[in-house]
Amino acid sequence: MKILSKSFGAYATNCYILIKDCGEIIIDPGDGALEFIRQNCKNPLAILNTHCHFDHIYDDKKIKDEYNLPIYVPKDDAFLCSKDPFGMIEEPFNPDFLVEPDGSVQIADFSLKFHHFAGHTPGCSMIETNGVMFSGDFLFKGSIGRYDFPFSSKIKMKNSLKKALNLGEFVLYPGHGEKTSMSEAREFIPYFIERL
């Protein structure tokens, strides 16, 4: 599997394209990602979102309309696609597939699991496939996602961090910033657990 990434929008949100012979999966297409998709996708299969804050779903509907693609989101975040608390989404939409917490999906040759880590948003997830994890706004290099937004939860974030300590080893591709790993994350997670 080949992974392409580029950041978009005022918050430098990472959009990822996962490429196999069968086609491409798009993860978290932010503001302006459509052109990136046009340039790099020959047979796009679906759009997946780690969570549904506006900066991660901004171009979902544009890409869906152009390529007739299904949109997969964590079930508990689906409401954010049509009721953006920040008022930033130009084109609200209803996702096609609502993935249950810790649920799995099969799209062509892609096997993907949505690991549920609520706190940043109710449905915040890390998406696992081919031995790597797309960590969205849950884990970053040296830090964690914010938990002071509308519908965020400090208590759920603390519980999610405890749960994350039990994960195996993965390369992490976050929603912002550079990639890291679960081994690096395990070094700083206890620091945040103590302070939550």
Side-chain angles (χ1 to χ4, degrees), residues 132-181:
V132 300
M133 197 86 80
F134 296 88
S135 59
D137 284 5
F138 176 52
L139 294 176
F140 305 116
K141 187 174 181 66
S143 187
I144 65 171
R146 290 177 61 170
Y147 45 86
D148 59 340
F149 290 136
F151 308 109
S152 296
S153 169
K154 180 178 179 179
I155 293 171
K156 288 181 179 178
M157 177 62 85
K158 185 171 186 174
N159 291 335
S160 289
L161 290 171
K162 290 177 180 177
K163 175 183 172 183
L165 287 172
N166 297 316
L167 285 172
E169 181 53 34
F170 294 94
V171 175
L172 300 180
Y173 291 87
H176 307 270
E178 59 187 289
K179 69 181 180 181
T180 182
S181 67

Side-chain angles (χ1 to χ4, degrees), residues 178-189:
E178 59 187 289
K179 69 181 180 181
T180 182
S181 67
M182 271 310 302
S183 59
E184 288 183 19
R186 272 188 287 273
E187 293 179 8
F188 66 76
I189 285 175

Side-chain angles (χ1 to χ4, degrees), residues 59-73:
D59 271 15
D60 274 31
K61 190 170 188 304
K62 292 176 185 176
I63 297 167
K64 174 187 173 64
D65 289 348
E66 180 151 332
Y67 292 99
N68 192 28
L69 299 183
I71 299 173
Y72 293 74
V73 306

Side-chain angles (χ1 to χ4, degrees), residues 4-125:
L4 302 180
S5 68
K6 189 173 180 179
S7 60
F8 292 94
Y11 299 95
T13 303
N14 293 332
C15 172
Y16 296 99
I17 301 174
L18 318 185
I19 303 172
K20 287 188 177 183
D21 290 341
C22 63
E24 303 90 24
I25 296 288
I26 300 156
I27 296 180
D28 288 355
D31 184 5
L34 175 57
E35 189 57 36
F36 179 54
I37 305 308
R38 287 173 176 159
Q39 293 170 358
N40 294 284
C41 289
K42 295 179 180 178
N43 180 33
L45 301 168
I47 302 164
L48 277 60
N49 294 110
T50 57
H51 67 293
C52 294
H53 275 156
F54 70 90
D55 57 316
H56 292 255
I57 66 170
Y58 199 93
D59 271 15
D60 274 31
K61 190 170 188 304
K62 292 176 185 176
I63 297 167
K64 174 187 173 64
D65 289 348
E66 180 151 332
Y67 292 99
N68 192 28
L69 299 183
I71 299 173
Y72 293 74
V73 306
K75 179 180 179 181
D76 294 339
D77 268 17
F79 72 99
L80 292 170
C81 298
S82 57
K83 297 178 181 177
D84 173 21
F86 303 100
M88 297 293 289
I89 292 294
E90 291 180 346
E91 298 184 82
F93 62 90
N94 293 313
D96 301 286
F97 293 98
L98 309 185
V99 183
E100 295 287 344
D102 296 320
S104 297
V105 297
Q106 184 74 36
I107 303 169
D109 291 340
F110 289 91
S111 298
L112 308 115
K113 180 170 182 179
F114 283 64
H115 294 266
H116 186 220
F117 293 105
H120 181 66
T121 63
C124 189
S125 299

